[in-house]
């Protein structure tokens, strides 16, 4: 049992779940579509992730004009394991106490952990003040399916009311339907394994608190894009730099300055989210990237033409901001594009048109929807969209943390990626007028 259990939490988020009125019980964030660090839900408006000092300082040093395009930084909490007599593990957040918590920076660098963690409950009681556990089996990484979802006691906050389905490597629809993005489970398993292997069950870890940028969306459709032509930081080892350069060379990072890192998109025809992960994104050609973007903007019945202008406006505005940030480099950072899969333009359910749907075995093409029709926005307001930069663990700028390498001008690799994204979306819009 963690020693920090005796501490009192002085302040909670609006819908944070307390652990015995002493801490906030963290849950996997069900809409995580990419990345390798596990994002945890703190409350409805807030997520948290393992703290890396460089990223924390970067958030604290953000130029004001960039804040519109990044999650709000909300501070730091201490996180520890809390176990019970049956061997279940939960992560619980407490107010941060200086010098007690271990940062991610303090841990030895390692690639994805391979060993499995001990049993971990993913269930919560409806009361929110106690958590009941079961003894699920762990899923294989290949399918990311888990036994917890088959339990009748899966309840409330940990799951979405909308099932998620992963498209496999052959672009076929998997039969497994689970109640959160499968990538979030994968990251959570690996994070617990990493923390368990490095701690002695009494160490605290520091986690960053950040704005939950999908909170305002009823059915968040999320595209995670790895931006830039270079992914390794200035402090990367030769081996790591070589690995990252190879990934860039073999993907659209080199040709477009952007590659798909993850995606979930709500499908009106099936009522499910379709999901893609980073391995899918790494293998895409330029045309494949274009098809993936098309699929992200397609709701299973029609292309969301109403999204082009608001997304393009955000991308152009971000590009203008970044072009003014001299010496900044955002190596290995990602860009999230978010819209609501709940189509507010449709007063009645849309007619299901099989001919309008992209074929499952191949990327959707613009031609397939020319006859499908699209309800025009008309007098209705533009749909809400959001564009946010995330993941700044390898970012730098002149004077930041006495970094020895100083770069000139804006991050043109990142700007190139934005230009590619804007050009592809503009072409898509023209082809689908």
């Amino acid at each position: 049992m963690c020693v920090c259990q005796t501490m009192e939490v002085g302040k909670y988020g609006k819908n944070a779940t307390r652990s015995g009125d002493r801490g906030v019980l963290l849950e996997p964030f069900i809409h995580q579509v990419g990345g390798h660090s596990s994002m945890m839900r703190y409350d409805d408006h807030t997520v948290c992730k393992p703290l890396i000092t460089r990223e924390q300082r970067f958030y604290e040093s953000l130029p004001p004009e960039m804040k519109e395009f990044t999650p709000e930084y909300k501070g730091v909490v201490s996180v520890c394991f809390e176990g019970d007599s049956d061997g279940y593990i939960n992560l619980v957040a407490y107010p941060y106490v200086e010098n007690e918590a271990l940062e991610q920076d303090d841990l030895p660098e390692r690639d994805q952990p391979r060993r499995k963690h001990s049993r971990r409950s993913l269930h919560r009681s409806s009361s929110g003040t106690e958590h009941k556990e079961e003894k699920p089996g762990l899923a294989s990484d290949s399918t990311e399916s888990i036994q917890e979802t088959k339990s009748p006691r899966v309840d409330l906050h940990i799951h979405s009311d909308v099932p998620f389905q992963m498209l496999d490597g052959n672009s076929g629809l998997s039969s497994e339907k689970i109640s959160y993005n499968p990538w979030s489970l994968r990251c959570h398993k690996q994070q617990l394994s990493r923390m368990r292997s490095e701690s002695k069950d009494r160490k605290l870890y520091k986690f960053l608190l950040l704005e939950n940028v999908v909170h305002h969306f009823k059915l968040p459709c999320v595209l995670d894009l790895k931006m830039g032509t270079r992914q390794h930081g200035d402090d990367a080892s030769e081996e790591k730099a070589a690995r990252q350069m190879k990934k860039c060379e073999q993907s659209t990072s080199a040709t477009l300055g952007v590659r798909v890192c993850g995606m979930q998109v709500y499908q009106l025809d099936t009522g499910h989210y379709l999901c893609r992960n980073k391995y899918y994104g790494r293998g895409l050609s330029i045309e494949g990237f274009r098809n993936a973007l098309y699929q992200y903007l397609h709701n299973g019945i029609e292309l969301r033409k109403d999204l082009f202008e608001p997304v393009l406006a955000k991308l152009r505005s971000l590009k203008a901001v970044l072009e003014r940030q001299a010496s900044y480099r955002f190596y290995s950072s990602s860009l999230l594009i978010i819209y609501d899969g709940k189509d507010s333009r449709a007063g009645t359910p849309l007619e299901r048109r099989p001919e309008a749907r992209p074929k499952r075995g191949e990327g959707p093409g613009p031609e397939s929807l020319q006859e499908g029709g699209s309800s025009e926005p008309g007098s209705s307001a533009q749909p809400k969209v959001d564009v946010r930069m995330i993941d700044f663990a390898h970012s730098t700028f002149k004077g930041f943390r006495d970094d020895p390498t100083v770069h000139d001008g804006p991050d043109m690799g990142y700007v190139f990626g934005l230009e590619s994204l804007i050009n592809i979306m503009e072409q898509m819009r023209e082809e689908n007028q």
Side-chain angles (χ1 to χ4, degrees):
M1 194 72 73
C2 180
V3 293
C4 64
Q5 258 192 304
T6 59
M7 297 169 55
E8 293 290 321
V9 171
K11 185 177 180 180
Y12 291 92
K14 180 179 179 182
N15 290 299
T17 295
R18 305 180 185 187
S19 176
D21 282 345
R22 290 181 295 273
V24 175
L25 177 64
L26 301 180
E27 303 171 328
F29 177 57
I30 63 173
H31 294 297
Q32 180 175 1
V33 303
H36 63 271
S37 291
S38 178
M39 300 295 297
M40 306 295 293
R41 176 192 179 275
Y42 182 84
D43 61 34
D44 284 350
H45 300 269
T46 311
V47 296
C48 60
K49 63 182 291 191
L51 184 147
I52 296 175
T53 302
R54 172 174 290 273
E55 183 170 37
Q56 178 194 15
R57 299 295 179 233
F58 195 85
Y59 270 111
E60 293 172 343
S61 307
L62 276 173
E65 63 179 345
M66 280 188 61
K67 291 186 177 180
E68 174 188 352
F69 297 102
T70 58
E72 178 190 355
Y73 168 65
K74 297 189 175 186
V76 180
V77 289
S78 296
V79 173
C80 71
F81 293 105
E82 291 194 356
D84 62 17
S85 58
D86 292 328
Y88 288 102
I89 297 297
N90 287 293
L91 298 181
V92 183
Y94 295 89
Y96 171 61
V97 178
E98 193 72 37
N99 297 326
E100 285 192 11
L102 186 67
E103 301 173 11
Q104 192 74 21
D105 310 53
D106 301 327
L107 303 177
E109 182 180 342
R110 60 173 61 195
D111 291 326
Q112 302 297 334
R114 299 300 181 190
R115 50 186 173 280
K116 295 180 179 179
H117 60 77
S118 68
R119 298 166 301 172
R120 159 64 159 82
S121 168
L122 296 181
H123 310 315
R124 300 172 71 178
S125 69
S126 57
S127 69
T129 56
E130 64 179 57
H131 31 281
K132 299 178 182 180
E133 293 88 12
E134 297 192 9
K135 300 181 180 180
L138 289 176
S140 66
D141 285 344
S142 59
T143 64
E144 306 301 331
S145 61
I146 60 170
Q147 296 301 315
E148 288 96 328
T149 58
K150 299 175 182 177
S151 165
R153 292 167 66 182
V154 172
D155 195 17
L156 292 181
H157 308 287
I158 187 57
H159 75 285
S160 164
D161 292 331
V162 179
F164 293 76
Q165 289 187 304
M166 175 61 75
L167 292 174
D168 64 24
N170 297 319
S171 299
L173 189 63
S174 72
S175 59
E176 192 72 29
K177 299 176 186 178
I178 58 177
S179 54
Y180 31 82
N181 191 293
W183 193 257
S184 68
L185 176 67
R186 178 191 179 101
C187 292
H188 183 64
K189 287 164 60 178
Q190 292 174 342
Q191 187 65 45
L192 273 186
S193 175
R194 183 182 299 116
M195 292 174 70
R196 280 184 56 82
S197 66
E198 300 297 342
S199 78
K200 301 300 181 184
D201 292 334
R202 295 180 69 87
K203 288 239 181 80
L204 297 178
Y205 290 82
K206 289 164 73 172
F207 274 50
L208 285 178
L209 289 175
L210 298 169
E211 174 191 2
N212 174 6
V213 297
V214 307
H215 170 68
H216 298 291
F217 298 89
K218 292 182 174 62
L219 296 169
C221 298
V222 184
L223 180 64
D224 186 330
L225 299 170
K226 186 73 73 174
M227 300 299 295
T229 53
R230 169 180 159 176
Q231 301 302 326
H232 61 281
D234 291 325
D235 59 347
S237 66
E238 288 186 13
E239 180 185 3
K240 183 171 184 179
R243 287 201 311 270
Q244 295 294 340
M245 286 189 287
K246 185 175 181 180
K247 288 178 187 175
C248 289
E249 291 168 1
Q250 296 177 342
S251 70
T252 55
S253 292
T255 53
L256 296 174
V258 55
R259 72 174 184 256
V260 173
C261 199
M263 178 175 78
Q264 70 177 39
V265 55
Y266 181 71
Q267 301 290 275
L268 276 177
D269 57 342
T270 63
H272 301 151
Y273 287 107
L274 291 187
C275 307
R276 295 283 199 181
N277 63 33
K278 67 179 182 181
Y279 301 111
Y280 163 78
R282 284 182 193 171
L284 293 176
S285 62
I286 294 176
E287 186 61 24
F289 177 88
R290 187 179 183 280
N291 288 339
L293 184 58
Y294 191 93
Q295 184 174 58
Y296 170 66
L297 298 171
H298 194 283
N299 63 17
I301 294 177
E302 63 179 351
L303 182 67
R304 287 288 303 272
K305 300 178 186 181
D306 60 319
L307 295 171
F308 285 127
E309 286 308 321
V311 172
L312 282 168
K314 291 270 190 183
L315 293 175
R316 293 183 190 118
S317 179
L318 174 59
K319 177 175 173 285
V321 167
L322 294 189
E323 286 175 333
R324 296 192 289 268
Q325 309 307 315
S327 83
Y328 278 76
R329 294 297 181 271
F330 306 101
Y331 299 133
S332 199
S333 70
S334 288
L335 187 70
L336 298 181
I337 300 177
I338 311 162
Y339 71 88
D340 205 325
K342 182 176 175 59
D343 189 353
S344 59
R345 299 167 303 151
T348 58
L350 291 171
E351 178 186 356
R352 296 186 180 184
R353 292 184 291 273
E355 70 276 8
R357 302 173 197 164
K359 295 179 181 179
R360 300 301 187 191
E362 56 190 61
E367 305 80 8
S368 64
L369 288 194
Q370 293 294 341
E371 304 297 327
S374 174
S375 55
E376 295 299 326
S379 60
S380 61
Q382 276 196 334
K384 177 178 175 57
V385 302
D386 211 347
V387 171
R388 302 291 187 104
M389 300 174 68
I390 59 169
D391 297 339
F392 300 111
H394 302 287
S395 296
T396 185
F397 59 88
K398 184 178 180 180
F400 183 57
R401 295 173 61 84
D402 297 320
D403 287 349
T405 303
V406 177
H407 300 273
D408 294 326
D411 188 339
M412 295 310 296
Y414 199 114
V415 171
F416 173 53
L418 286 174
E419 290 173 343
S420 297
L421 200 51
I422 290 168
N423 290 337
I424 291 172
M425 287 199 69
E426 287 177 340
Q427 293 169 8
M428 200 177 294
R429 179 193 59 189
E430 294 304 314
E431 293 169 358
N432 291 276
Q433 289 290 355

